[in-house]
Amino acid sequence: MPVTKIVLGENEIPTSWYNVLPDLPEPLPPILHPATKEPTILPPPLFPRSLDQQESSQERYIEIPEEVQDIYKMWRPTYLHRAYRLEKALDTPAKIFYKYEGTSPAGSHKLNTSVAQAYYNKKEGVKRLATETGAGQWGSALAMGCQLFDLECKVYMVRVSYEQKPYRRIMMETWGANVVSSPSEDTEIGRKIRKEDPDCSGSLGIAISEAVEDAATRDDTMYSLGSVLNHVLMHQTIIGQEAKKQLEKADAYPDIIIGCIGGGSNFAGVFLPFVKDKLDGRKLSIICVEPEACPTVTKGPYTWDFGDVAGMAPIAKMYTLGHTFVPPRIHAGGLRYHGMAPIVSHLNKLGIIETRAEHQVPVFKSAVMFARAEGILPAPEPAHAIKAVVDEALKCKESGEAKTILLALSGHGHFDLGAYDEYLSGKLEDYEYPKELVEEALKQLPEVK
Amino acid sequence: MPVTKIVLGENEIPTSWYNVLPDLPEPLPPILHPATKEPTILPPPLFPRSLDQQESSQERYIEIPEEVQDIYKMWRPTYLHRAYRLEKALDTPAKIFYKYEGTSPAGSHKLNTSVAQAYYNKKEGVKRLATETGAGQWGSALAMGCQLFDLECKVYMVRVSYEQKPYRRIMMETWGANVVSSPSEDTEIGRKIRKEDPDCSGSLGIAISEAVEDAATRDDTMYSLGSVLNHVLMHQTIIGQEAKKQLEKADAYPDIIIGCIGGGSNFAGVFLPFVKDKLDGRKLSIICVEPEACPTVTKGPYTWDFGDVAGMAPIAKMYTLGHTFVPPRIHAGGLRYHGMAPIVSHLNKLGIIETRAEHQVPVFKSAVMFARAEGILPAPEPAHAIKAVVDEALKCKESGEAKTILLALSGHGHFDLGAYDEYLSGKLEDYEYPKELVEEALKQLPEVK
């Protein structure tokens, strides 16, 4: 068997992030202020200046600060694997590569931006960051980022996860974060919701509103978001740039790149460094995979909507199921967001990337097949992408084409084994697309001229 | 900051295991048959011939079969990290390196031998392997090894872990293993114990006896052990050989090597490739760390004892607290074994390596310090070694010596976060050495002339 992993040295880690904005064939619509609905920057009471500058920068490459590069070296470069055993199990002529981010201390790609955000906040004198987390991937990444830069970290964790998945909470606390169950008693909106509904199990939208309120009402605190925004996607391009170098070393170029999208940051981080090639004429399919239970891009309109449930976050042009929509409780918590990154939405609208939706039972079937062939137990989110990889590889088997497929494998499923148990014992069920709920939520869209 | 990790390419993975037996200054005492008490080979109804040959081989290097090398490439080489941030937190002139095995799919070093054992069994026509597991590290590694070689895998999992730690069980099942709670209804000894004590919470000794009975009574099945035996330690020398190459690249050689010992295989895998240098006159401290609650080497006699509770496994000359001793329920499940690898015992007796014991509360204090500095959340077992690293680094601070310390960091603590929670909330307690229990157990030692 030839080379199984393509290994880079530390000196081959990219030293700049790639910013796609100047390369877009049409400019990205601006974000709008939630109250005035006029074009705005990232609101200064929430974000430090340097991140706002990155948000709309027209520089193609932005140098990664040395302190951030040093921290990336704690786990980067990550390996690019060739999935020989999966190819064999599928009996496909396709060449499958996967870029695996699960070996980072927090277990996913999220650290790539949390460390950068902690750095810029620290540099601008911020003492404390507030954020939300669902199942805990983002919260734990920010907790570690803050710990490394000696910042306080406050995490509003959706109550149902706080109670059912204590391990991620403990991980955040081990890294020094203060974690509360959301809705909490620590914010006005939290107290209001608890008063109205003491049994409220929380949602990502509520937790975002709590974190935004926390940051907006404290001088020493900024807000931090783990996906969706342009600067977050840009920080993740470290992944795709590494993957590109590694594929070059393997003398390969992808015909198809596949990843899952929730807020969009992991997959954009992988595919954005390849997009320019496609705009320059290279034949390349970029396939986003989202859950059937929360099919933002495949079923939602491309329109203006708030980023959070309370309407305190900026308004963005994006695919959305409505900011008040609460998706069914599929196991891929990271894909349960009503909206989508403006950059991903824009590229999808322009036809540069495409999107499909998958149900969780076949997704877990593919995840188990992957685990048995490749060893790694994928998180439920990238398992959606694995389902599409399997489908594309089987198409190759039928057509005899030896296509090269690159899979964005964003993290491990060590804290999601309950979901594997449900699947293996035949108890896992699919949720149909909740059409009425979405129709209701879409009535709440903000009016934008 | 200079290089943080020392990276090897796939072509730099060692292609042989190192066998210390021919280099020992005095020969290792033989193992004895449990019934006849005469010197014996590994009993053929339990182990395949090739592993028995490795057990007593006098070849210094044994080539790793190509199929096993190919599988190692799925996660090897592992990184050697320089702990700059821990050094800074301790304000020590010491140079601390750690070899981290937690990025393997099963999360520890155990795969290094499970894959090799599955390979040799498959090659000799075996269809099925039986084994025991405590908290599940070994069981999951063997489950993945068997999956890759298309062998059935039966795991007897200590009941208290089976019930309290379902995640490792699910991991094994995801890799296709059949996992039962031990004592089980599937063996005679299991049924006998359940009849006598329906509430029996199980022990590693009982689970070993069940797995041995399973293998001894089925033609298609062999037994597989995750530590203690010579061939298991030898398979782990892939770690130390890699570490040695990596240190050479960093132009460094350790003054001190530190690791935890339960059965002894992980740490022996790290230090054995350095032992020859020490025998040849090199100044080098090798420090083993065991738990105060199960202080096999620091408190037990060096004598003949059974490997399992039922007296079905061979008798070995080793440090032991008595094969009927059941240690207190510390969180480091992998360090709760009554005996110790004969090779580790022999080297300790000869004064080539030394051993100290630590309590779990200060161990977790060091683990949290490590996690906050280096990101990685260590498993409770290697956290014992981290405690000793911190102590040695602080001695360097006092003396001003810039010693080079190599830490064997065997795995992550993703499934041990309950223990971190206990520590962080101040509920974790230490167990005193259970002197009376040990004295009682030592009365049950087999009589050997």
Side-chain angles (χ1 to χ4, degrees):
Chain A
M1 195 172 288
V3 174
T4 302
K5 297 183 309 309
I6 295 97
V7 177
L8 296 180
E10 279 195 354
N11 55 350
E12 294 174 287
I13 303 177
T15 54
S16 300
W17 294 301
Y18 167 64
N19 176 22
V20 76
L21 295 184
D23 288 330
L24 291 175
E26 291 177 27
L28 193 68
I31 54 171
L32 309 181
H33 192 281
T36 67
K37 286 157 193 167
E38 295 294 332
T40 182
I41 59 171
L42 289 182
L46 297 183
F47 295 91
R49 259 189 71 234
S50 39
L51 291 179
D52 173 60
Q53 281 165 353
Q54 290 184 2
E55 189 67 12
S56 55
S57 168
Q58 289 295 316
E59 294 291 321
R60 185 170 286 126
Y61 288 98
I62 292 181
E63 203 182 330
I64 304 172
E66 210 181 307
E67 290 93 323
V68 175
Q69 289 191 40
D70 282 343
I71 292 176
Y72 279 172
K73 287 179 189 167
M74 293 169 77
W75 69 93
R76 307 209 70 85
T78 59
Y79 289 143
L80 180 77
H81 299 251
R82 173 79 185 266
Y84 284 113
R85 285 177 172 75
L86 180 64
E87 291 168 20
K88 202 177 158 196
L90 293 168
D91 189 23
T92 176
K95 296 184 187 76
I96 304 172
F97 291 88
Y98 57 98
K99 179 70 171 167
Y100 181 45
E101 292 289 299
T103 51
S104 85
S108 80
H109 63 291
K110 294 280 186 188
L111 278 175
N112 297 326
T113 185
S114 73
V115 163
Q117 293 189 41
Y119 166 81
Y120 288 112
N121 276 285
K122 178 77 179 182
K123 208 177 148 200
E124 295 191 31
V126 176
K127 303 284 180 220
R128 183 174 170 274
L129 288 179
T131 199
E132 70 288 335
T133 200
Q137 288 276 16
W138 169 241
S140 41
L142 191 66
M144 182 176 147
C146 285
Q147 176 62 234
L148 293 172
F149 285 105
D150 199 19
L151 290 169
E152 278 184 66
C153 183
K154 172 79 173 256
V155 182
Y156 295 86
M157 184 174 189
V158 177
R159 179 173 164 189
V160 57
S161 296
Y162 184 92
E163 287 171 0
Q164 291 180 356
K165 298 187 174 177
Y167 272 25
R168 279 278 174 195
R169 167 184 62 77
I170 303 166
M171 199 171 199
M172 293 183 250
E173 288 170 349
T174 302
W175 283 323
N178 176 5
V179 187
V180 291
S181 171
S182 166
S184 76
E185 286 294 325
D186 296 1
T187 65
E188 203 168 310
I189 187 163
R191 288 187 292 271
K192 182 163 167 276
I193 292 170
R194 283 164 72 106
K195 203 170 164 189
E196 283 166 8
D197 177 9
D199 295 329
C200 175
S201 63
S203 76
L204 208 53
I206 293 171
I208 295 178
S209 296
E210 284 205 278
V212 167
E213 180 189 322
D214 181 316
T217 53
R218 283 185 60 150
D219 277 351
D220 62 348
T221 302
M222 291 281 183
Y223 172 67
S224 178
L225 191 64
S227 189
V228 179
L229 297 174
N230 301 347
H231 69 272
V232 179
L233 273 58
M234 186 187 74
H235 297 157
Q236 296 295 354
T237 60
I238 187 87
I239 312 173
Q241 291 182 82
E242 278 183 13
K244 213 172 173 184
K245 277 195 195 184
Q246 287 165 312
L247 286 166
E248 270 166 30
K249 287 199 180 199
D251 209 12
Y253 193 94
D255 299 295
I256 311 173
I257 311 181
I258 299 176
C260 65
I261 50 168
S265 74
N266 165 65
F267 190 38
V270 174
F271 77 68
L272 285 176
F274 294 87
V275 151
K276 181 101 179 23
D277 299 341
K278 179 157 182 174
L279 295 172
D280 290 344
R282 183 126 204 173
K283 197 166 170 288
L284 169 63
S285 299
I286 300 172
I287 302 173
C288 307
V289 189
E290 60 182 12
E292 276 282 8
C294 185
T296 312
V297 177
T298 53
K299 295 262 172 57
Y302 180 57
T303 185
W304 298 96
D305 199 6
F306 293 110
D308 70 327
V309 70
M312 292 168 73
I315 294 169
K317 183 101 184 260
M318 60 182 177
Y319 290 93
T320 179
L321 299 172
H323 63 282
T324 58
F325 170 64
V326 178
R329 286 171 54 181
I330 53 167
H331 286 286
L335 307 185
R336 291 176 71 247
Y337 183 61
H338 70 274
M340 182 51 57
I343 288 177
V344 173
S345 296
H346 186 67
L347 290 170
N348 192 84
K349 189 67 188 175
L350 293 175
I352 296 165
I353 62 177
E354 61 192 279
T355 305
R356 62 177 74 161
E358 300 290 353
H359 277 298
Q360 69 175 354
V361 173
V363 159
F364 272 91
K365 186 181 172 195
S366 302
V368 169
M369 173 188 257
F370 188 89
R372 291 185 177 177
E374 296 292 319
I376 293 164
L377 278 140
E381 292 83 1
H384 282 72
I386 294 173
K387 166 67 169 63
V389 167
V390 168
D391 289 344
E392 293 302 314
L394 291 176
K395 275 187 214 165
C396 285
K397 183 182 176 183
E398 210 154 300
S399 69
E401 287 172 289
K403 287 190 179 174
T404 297
I405 302 174
L406 172 62
L407 160 67
L409 188 57
S410 56
H412 63 63
H414 296 174
F415 301 110
D416 305 285
L417 282 158
Y420 278 87
D421 201 29
E422 273 188 36
Y423 170 76
L424 291 169
S425 58
K427 288 181 200 146
L428 190 69
E429 285 181 8
D430 284 329
Y431 293 91
E432 286 311 310
Y433 166 55
K435 196 157 176 272
E436 287 78 33
L437 285 178
V438 171
E439 280 169 2
E440 203 50 47
L442 289 177
K443 289 179 190 160
Q444 321 283 322
L445 292 179
E447 274 181 52
V448 174
K449 284 168 216 163
Chain B
M1 197 173 286
V3 173
T4 303
K5 298 184 310 308
I6 295 100
V7 178
L8 297 179
E10 279 195 353
N11 55 350
E12 294 174 286
I13 302 176
T15 55
S16 300
W17 293 301
Y18 167 65
N19 176 23
V20 76
L21 295 184
D23 288 331
L24 290 175
E26 291 177 26
L28 193 69
I31 55 170
L32 309 181
H33 192 280
T36 67
K37 288 160 192 163
E38 296 293 333
T40 182
I41 58 170
L42 288 183
L46 296 184
F47 294 92
R49 260 189 69 237
S50 39
L51 290 179
D52 173 60
Q53 282 165 354
Q54 290 184 1
E55 190 67 12
S56 56
S57 169
Q58 290 295 316
E59 295 290 322
R60 184 169 288 125
Y61 288 98
I62 292 180
E63 203 182 330
I64 305 172
E66 209 181 308
E67 292 92 324
V68 176
Q69 289 192 40
D70 281 342
I71 292 176
Y72 280 173
K73 287 179 190 167
M74 292 168 77
W75 71 92
R76 305 208 70 84
T78 59
Y79 289 143
L80 180 76
H81 299 251
R82 173 80 185 268
Y84 284 113
R85 284 178 174 74
L86 180 64
E87 292 168 20
K88 200 176 158 197
L90 293 168
D91 189 23
T92 177
K95 296 184 186 74
I96 304 172
F97 291 88
Y98 56 97
K99 179 72 171 167
Y100 182 47
E101 292 290 298
T103 50
S104 84
S108 81
H109 64 290
K110 294 280 186 189
L111 277 175
N112 297 325
T113 185
S114 73
V115 163
Q117 293 189 42
Y119 166 81
Y120 288 112
N121 275 285
K122 178 76 179 184
K123 206 177 151 199
E124 294 190 33
V126 176
K127 303 283 180 222
R128 183 174 171 276
L129 288 179
T131 199
E132 71 288 335
T133 201
Q137 287 275 16
W138 168 242
S140 42
L142 192 66
M144 182 176 146
C146 285
Q147 176 62 235
L148 293 172
F149 285 105
D150 199 19
L151 291 169
E152 277 183 66
C153 183
K154 172 79 173 251
V155 181
Y156 294 88
M157 185 173 189
V158 177
R159 180 173 162 190
V160 55
S161 296
Y162 185 92
E163 288 172 358
Q164 289 180 358
K165 298 185 174 179
Y167 272 25
R168 279 277 174 196
R169 166 184 62 76
I170 303 166
M171 199 172 199
M172 293 184 250
E173 288 170 350
T174 302
W175 283 322
N178 176 4
V179 187
V180 291
S181 171
S182 165
S184 76
E185 286 294 324
D186 297 0
T187 66
E188 204 169 308
I189 187 162
R191 288 188 292 271
K192 182 164 166 278
I193 291 169
R194 283 164 71 105
K195 203 170 166 190
E196 285 165 9
D197 176 9
D199 294 329
C200 175
S201 63
S203 76
L204 207 53
I206 294 170
I208 295 178
S209 296
E210 284 207 276
V212 167
E213 180 189 322
D214 181 316
T217 53
R218 284 185 60 151
D219 278 351
D220 63 347
T221 301
M222 291 282 184
Y223 172 67
S224 179
L225 191 64
S227 189
V228 178
L229 297 174
N230 302 346
H231 69 272
V232 180
L233 272 58
M234 186 187 75
H235 297 157
Q236 296 295 354
T237 60
I238 186 88
I239 312 173
Q241 291 182 82
E242 279 183 11
K244 214 171 172 183
K245 277 195 197 186
Q246 288 165 312
L247 285 166
E248 272 165 31
K249 288 200 179 198
D251 207 12
Y253 192 93
D255 298 295
I256 312 173
I257 311 182
I258 299 176
C260 64
I261 50 169
S265 74
N266 164 64
F267 189 38
V270 175
F271 77 67
L272 285 175
F274 293 88
V275 150
K276 182 104 180 23
D277 299 341
K278 179 159 183 173
L279 295 171
D280 290 345
R282 181 124 206 175
K283 197 165 169 289
L284 169 64
S285 299
I286 299 171
I287 303 173
C288 307
V289 188
E290 61 181 13
E292 276 282 7
C294 185
T296 311
V297 178
T298 51
K299 295 261 171 58
Y302 180 57
T303 186
W304 298 97
D305 199 4
F306 293 110
D308 70 326
V309 71
M312 294 168 74
I315 294 169
K317 184 99 182 262
M318 60 182 178
Y319 290 92
T320 178
L321 299 172
H323 63 281
T324 58
F325 170 63
V326 178
R329 285 169 55 183
I330 53 167
H331 286 286
L335 307 185
R336 291 176 70 247
Y337 183 61
H338 69 275
M340 182 50 57
I343 288 177
V344 173
S345 296
H346 187 67
L347 290 171
N348 192 84
K349 189 68 189 172
L350 294 173
I352 296 165
I353 62 177
E354 60 193 278
T355 304
R356 62 178 73 163
E358 299 290 354
H359 278 299
Q360 68 178 355
V361 173
V363 158
F364 272 91
K365 187 183 170 193
S366 301
V368 170
M369 173 188 258
F370 187 88
R372 291 184 178 178
E374 297 292 320
I376 293 165
L377 277 141
E381 292 83 1
H384 282 72
I386 293 172
K387 166 67 169 65
V389 167
V390 169
D391 289 345
E392 294 302 315
L394 291 177
K395 277 186 212 163
C396 286
K397 183 183 175 181
E398 210 154 301
S399 69
E401 287 171 291
K403 287 190 179 173
T404 296
I405 303 174
L406 172 62
L407 160 68
L409 188 57
S410 56
H412 63 63
H414 296 173
F415 300 111
D416 305 285
L417 282 160
Y420 278 87
D421 200 27
E422 274 188 35
Y423 170 76
L424 291 170
S425 57
K427 288 180 199 146
L428 190 69
E429 285 182 8
D430 285 329
Y431 293 90
E432 284 313 308
Y433 166 56
K435 195 158 177 271
E436 287 78 34
L437 286 177
V438 170
E439 280 168 2
E440 204 50 47
L442 289 176
K443 290 178 188 160
Q444 321 283 323
L445 292 178
E447 274 180 49
V448 174
K449 286 167 213 165

